[in-house]
Amino acid sequence: MQNTRHALSQMGEMIEETGYSIEQLANICGVSQDWVVEHIEAGVLHHDPQRNISWFDCATIIRARRIAHLEKSFDADPQLAALTTDLIEEVTYLRKRLKEFGDR
C-alpha cells in the first residue's frame, strides 16, 4: 500500500491507519473476539456507528492494546483500565498542546 499512513503505537510498533476487522483487532491485541465485543458493549471500546461494528481504526487498536495490557498486568476491571487509558490519552494530548504552545 503506497499511500498508507502509519502510527507508532505506545508499545513501539507501526500500525497502519486503515480499517481493521474485529478478528484483526483481537489478534493484534492478543485477546479473543468475545473480549472485543464485551468491551464495545460495555462502552470501553468505541467504533464508528456509521460503519460496521467490525471496523476499527488505529486509535482504537492502540486503546484496546493499552486496556488489555492494564487488565492483564494489574488484574484491572475493564472500566478501571478504560479510565486509566482515558487519563493517559488526556495527558498525552495536554503535553502535545503544551509543546505546541511553547513552540509559538
Side-chain angles (χ1 to χ4, degrees):
M1 292 181 201
Q2 294 176 351
N3 294 330
T4 302
R5 297 179 307 171
H6 294 82
L8 184 62
S9 79
Q10 294 294 327
M11 297 181 182
E13 59 190 45
M14 298 300 285
I15 298 176
E16 294 180 18
E17 288 191 26
T18 59
Y20 292 87
S21 70
I22 195 167
E23 181 179 359
Q24 290 170 314
L25 172 63
N27 187 25
I28 291 169
C29 297
V31 297
S32 70
Q33 291 182 35
D34 289 339
W35 182 95
V36 175
V37 171
E38 289 168 7
H39 284 70
I40 291 169
E41 290 172 350
V44 172
L45 291 178
H46 310 287
H47 64 92
D48 184 349
Q50 300 299 323
R51 294 185 173 211
N52 187 326
I53 189 170
S54 62
W55 190 260
F56 304 93
D57 62 11
C58 179
T60 303
I61 297 286
I62 293 168
R63 179 176 176 80
R65 287 192 66 170
R66 186 173 283 139
I67 290 169
H69 173 73
L70 290 168
E71 288 179 9
K72 289 176 186 174
S73 296
F74 301 103
D75 195 28
D77 172 84
Q79 295 296 330
L80 178 58
L83 175 61
T84 303
T85 299
D86 289 344
L87 293 172
I88 291 168
E89 291 169 352
E90 184 68 17
V91 167
T92 301
Y93 170 76
L94 292 172
R95 285 182 178 157
K96 180 181 174 191
R97 295 287 297 168
L98 186 58
K99 183 178 179 340
E100 290 171 359
F101 181 74
D103 289 344
R104 290 184 189 171

